[in-house]
Amino acid sequence: MHDIRPSVPRTPAQATLRVVSIVMAIIGGVVVLGGGLAFWYRDRLGLAEEAQWLAYSYGGIIMGVAALLLVTAWLGLRAADDSSRVAPYRNLCYLVGLVVLVAVVWGWGMGTFLLFNPLVLFSTVTYVIVCSQLADRVADEHERGVRGEVFLRNGDQRTLHLLSEVILVKGALIATFAAVIAVGYFAQGGRDLAADLGLSMESYEQLLITYGIDAAINVGVAMLGIWGSNRPRRVTPFFVVSTAALLVDVARVVAGIVMRRELGTGSIEVLLDLVYMGACAYVSWKIRRQMAALDAALEIGDPSATRGSAGE
């Protein structure tokens, strides 16, 4: 094996901060894209001139929130790679938490309890509970001199690590969406919100459970992939899971073609998932072959097997 490079040393807190920051960057990018499209096609929205000024006002607030998310994500990614840079991220999280607290107190003084407003509640959970706690943990680890483990990865292991991180981010995005649904469920009342979305109460609860299970499965599979990319002799569980997922996707695509004689919208999504899981299965299979070849070389006493190895 060749092209072996050391990984960036990250503690579990830094790895979690990296995922949270990537999710925030994606959400911020989507908000910026949506706001930009709305501004570009503002003339086609059919709004009166007075209403357009109101739209500009709310649009400015939305773009400001998106900018805050992007800045927070950028600072978080820096801290995830280098714990000595966590101070700006930590200060920003505390500043946002203070602003949220002032908004809640102001609303209380005006006779409105804003804590159960979905936006305020989600901001509180995100910045005060999640981001601030991660920042405190990373800062504490930096002060105590705690560093993450360094892994030696070859090209295939780095590819598997990247594929697994994409699955992990996907699971985190699904979990975020499920959290938003849950916040709306408890803050506004499930039945009212379900009616606003055109869903029955049973469908709403089923949607929440489905997203929760889907997020857990994606995170679990991603953790197996990351574990296998860092410890190639432990890649077999991910290989089995990805191969099983690939076979299920193949069966779903074939069944869709046989029953409908065409690929519908859902089948295209399955087809994309098939290609992705096929790549995961193939890369993990290559890593298993490399470890088997390495073990065979070690058994016969080949001295070159101990050089340039990314195995444990």
Side-chain angles (χ1 to χ4, degrees), residues 37-48 52 56:
L37 290 175
F39 177 79
W40 185 262
Y41 294 104
R42 62 188 183 279
D43 295 333
R44 301 184 184 181
L45 297 178
L47 299 176
Q52 286 187 4
Y56 289 153

Side-chain angles (χ1 to χ4, degrees), residues 98-172:
L98 179 62
V99 171
V100 171
L101 177 61
V102 170
V104 171
V105 173
W106 176 83
W108 191 12
M110 298 294 293
T112 303
F113 194 57
L114 292 176
L115 185 59
F116 291 116
N117 179 280
L119 180 60
V120 175
L121 185 58
F122 189 72
S123 301
T124 303
V125 172
T126 301
Y127 279 93
V128 178
I129 298 179
V130 178
C131 296
S132 297
Q133 292 297 321
L134 284 174
D136 289 341
R137 182 66 179 272
V138 173
D140 178 67
E141 291 175 343
H142 177 71
E143 292 174 357
R144 293 187 290 112
V146 178
R147 289 180 58 84
E149 187 176 355
V150 177
F151 300 98
L152 298 178
R153 305 191 191 109
N154 61 20
D156 292 326
Q157 289 170 249
R158 291 196 300 273
T159 301
L160 178 59
H161 193 86
L162 177 61
L163 292 172
S164 301
E165 281 192 325
V166 172
I167 299 175
L168 182 59
V169 171
K170 176 185 175 183

Side-chain angles (χ1 to χ4, degrees), residues 275-288:
V275 174
Y276 195 88
M277 295 312 299
C280 292
Y282 174 70
V283 174
S284 57
W285 171 75
K286 286 185 64 178
I287 294 174
R288 290 183 76 247

